[in-house]
Amino acid sequence: MKIILFFVVSLLSQSFSFAQKPRAREIGIPFEGTTGKFNAITDVKGVEVGYSTIISGQGKNIRGKGPIRTGVTAILPRGRNNKPVFANWYSLNGNGEMTGTTWITESGFLEGPIMITNTNSVGVVRDAVLKWYVKTGWYKEDFWYTYPVVAETYDGFLNDIYGFHVEEKHAFEALNTSKSGVIQEGNVGGGTGMMCLGFKGGTGSSSRIVKIKDSTYTVGVLVQSNFGGKKNFTIAGVSIGQELKDTLNYEFNAPPSYQPGDGSIIVVVATDAPLLPHQLKRISARVPIGVGKVGGRGENGSGDIFIAFSTANPAAFQRENFTKVDQLPNELINPLFEATVQATEEAIINAMVAAETMEGINGNKAYALPHKTVIDVLKKYNRVK
């Protein structure tokens, strides 16, 4: 009985600890802009996020057995409602993959969820989404076709990536557990085995609230952050990477070899502002500014691919009927550009603040960002008190 009680108390303690895990603002890192209630992509009404996180094994990499450090992330623009949204995308450097984008360019619509996983699991996740559509009756028509959107970043420095451990059930789990409100960050979902700017990376999110004339709009961002060289790592204008160049560097005991800047970043931008596809292209093209502020350079070995969608105009998608839509004038779009840059920057830092030190295949290790040391450096340069 005492053992059971201890286990329950311990579990509750761990849950409470997780719920209280600090974010970048909470440890003292300064950012510009006003966030939404959750400071997450889910501040955009209707957006849901779900994860499947796969962690097991340790030690030498035995292909097909592990260690495993990977997962799947699902972003549903309108939750379980099949109402396509206006969307568009942009690639800063295309050494990566995001399926389904050619039809988004052609049609202007995103017709389902956005999935993010590791590089070698794009195919299985794409197929799983199609099966999920069938199982859930996503499409009511007898005949339909669609092109699932699945993006990736490479986790093969920590994960047995050629073991192909992501399965259909993991994509289903991410989709079926999607929710609004507070979401997890760091070593979760597709971001589980990712590294960023010299430290452990992963999944992060942020949001901004902007007022345009008499209307208030939300911009939310979610990142799967796995990019950048430590020497370029910057927070609040301070070269953190240079200050910490000899602190907690990656440990690689066996291949694959790592070159600074290898990796990728996927960024999903959601907004409730009434933007049309050509304007959402402009929004997604501002993401690189936020990536650049923290140290991204769009290196040759990086896949930097971004997608933006708008939840406004819920009746825009029609197969046969004419419809009318609202559009924000281009002359009023600048606050949304700024919000995108700010939320992207903070989402990346949130991913790094939340991420915990991870040891993966062959004992390769990526260390968590040292919170106190970062704040001490920011104090040194008078960025925080």
Side-chain angles (χ1 to χ4, degrees), residues 10 36 92 127 152 164 194 202 247 299 310 323 345 367:
S10 176
L92 173 66
D127 291 350
E152 55 76 29
F164 304 103
M194 304 305 167
T247 301
E299 289 94 338
S310 168
T323 189
E345 175 189 16
Y367 287 94

Short mmCIF file of all heavy atoms in Angstrom, two decimals, residues 10 36 92 127 152 164 194 202 247 299 310 323 345 367:
data_model
loop_
_atom_site.label_atom_id
_atom_site.label_comp_id
_atom_site.label_asym_id
_atom_site.label_seq_id
_atom_site.Cartn_x
_atom_site.Cartn_y
_atom_site.Cartn_z
N SER A 10 4.45 10.35 -6.40
CA SER A 10 5.56 10.66 -7.30
C SER A 10 5.05 11.06 -8.67
O SER A 10 5.53 12.01 -9.28
CB SER A 10 6.48 9.43 -7.42
OG SER A 10 7.49 9.67 -8.36
N GLY A 36 -0.84 35.95 -26.76
CA GLY A 36 -2.18 35.51 -26.41
C GLY A 36 -2.17 34.80 -25.08
O GLY A 36 -1.14 34.69 -24.40
N LEU A 92 12.99 28.84 -47.60
CA LEU A 92 14.22 29.62 -47.55
C LEU A 92 15.36 28.81 -48.14
O LEU A 92 16.13 29.30 -48.97
CB LEU A 92 14.54 30.01 -46.10
CG LEU A 92 15.90 30.69 -45.87
CD1 LEU A 92 15.94 32.05 -46.56
CD2 LEU A 92 16.16 30.84 -44.37
N ASP A 127 0.78 8.36 -45.65
CA ASP A 127 -0.18 7.28 -45.89
C ASP A 127 -1.15 7.13 -44.72
O ASP A 127 -2.34 6.86 -44.90
CB ASP A 127 0.55 5.96 -46.12
CG ASP A 127 1.32 5.93 -47.43
OD1 ASP A 127 1.12 6.86 -48.25
OD2 ASP A 127 2.11 5.00 -47.64
N GLU A 152 9.29 17.53 -42.43
CA GLU A 152 10.27 16.75 -41.67
C GLU A 152 11.49 17.57 -41.32
O GLU A 152 11.81 18.55 -41.98
CB GLU A 152 10.71 15.53 -42.48
CG GLU A 152 11.25 15.84 -43.89
CD GLU A 152 12.66 16.39 -43.93
OE1 GLU A 152 13.46 16.06 -43.03
OE2 GLU A 152 12.96 17.15 -44.86
N PHE A 164 13.30 3.07 -38.86
CA PHE A 164 11.92 3.32 -39.29
C PHE A 164 10.92 2.99 -38.19
O PHE A 164 10.02 2.17 -38.36
CB PHE A 164 11.61 2.54 -40.57
CG PHE A 164 12.56 2.82 -41.70
CD1 PHE A 164 13.57 1.93 -42.03
CD2 PHE A 164 12.47 4.01 -42.41
CE1 PHE A 164 14.46 2.20 -43.05
CE2 PHE A 164 13.37 4.29 -43.44
CZ PHE A 164 14.35 3.40 -43.77
N MET A 194 15.44 16.37 -31.90
CA MET A 194 16.04 17.47 -32.65
C MET A 194 17.04 18.29 -31.83
O MET A 194 16.97 18.35 -30.61
CB MET A 194 14.95 18.37 -33.21
CG MET A 194 13.93 17.64 -34.07
SD MET A 194 14.73 16.72 -35.43
CE MET A 194 13.36 15.69 -36.00
N GLY A 202 13.86 21.16 -30.56
CA GLY A 202 12.60 20.44 -30.50
C GLY A 202 11.42 21.27 -30.94
O GLY A 202 11.51 22.07 -31.87
N THR A 247 30.88 25.68 -23.77
CA THR A 247 29.95 25.19 -22.75
C THR A 247 28.98 24.16 -23.32
O THR A 247 28.26 24.45 -24.28
CB THR A 247 29.14 26.36 -22.16
OG1 THR A 247 30.04 27.32 -21.59
CG2 THR A 247 28.17 25.88 -21.09
N GLU A 299 21.57 27.50 -44.13
CA GLU A 299 22.74 26.80 -44.64
C GLU A 299 22.37 25.72 -45.66
O GLU A 299 21.24 25.26 -45.73
CB GLU A 299 23.52 26.15 -43.48
CG GLU A 299 24.25 27.14 -42.59
CD GLU A 299 23.44 27.56 -41.36
OE1 GLU A 299 22.19 27.44 -41.41
OE2 GLU A 299 24.04 28.02 -40.37
N SER A 310 -4.89 30.80 -42.76
CA SER A 310 -5.83 31.69 -42.10
C SER A 310 -7.13 30.95 -41.82
O SER A 310 -7.70 30.30 -42.71
CB SER A 310 -6.14 32.92 -42.98
OG SER A 310 -7.24 33.64 -42.47
N THR A 323 -18.93 32.15 -53.82
CA THR A 323 -18.87 32.60 -52.43
C THR A 323 -18.19 33.96 -52.36
O THR A 323 -17.53 34.39 -53.31
CB THR A 323 -18.10 31.58 -51.56
OG1 THR A 323 -18.23 31.94 -50.19
CG2 THR A 323 -16.62 31.55 -51.93
N GLU A 345 10.62 33.99 -33.56
CA GLU A 345 11.79 34.10 -32.70
C GLU A 345 11.53 33.48 -31.33
O GLU A 345 12.33 32.67 -30.82
CB GLU A 345 12.16 35.58 -32.54
CG GLU A 345 13.30 35.84 -31.57
CD GLU A 345 13.48 37.32 -31.26
OE1 GLU A 345 12.56 38.12 -31.53
OE2 GLU A 345 14.55 37.68 -30.72
N TYR A 367 22.92 18.76 -25.15
CA TYR A 367 22.64 19.29 -23.82
C TYR A 367 21.54 20.36 -23.86
O TYR A 367 21.40 21.11 -24.82
CB TYR A 367 23.90 19.90 -23.22
CG TYR A 367 24.92 18.88 -22.78
CD1 TYR A 367 25.95 18.50 -23.63
CD2 TYR A 367 24.84 18.28 -21.52
CE1 TYR A 367 26.89 17.56 -23.24
CE2 TYR A 367 25.78 17.34 -21.12
CZ TYR A 367 26.80 16.98 -21.99
OH TYR A 367 27.72 16.05 -21.59
#
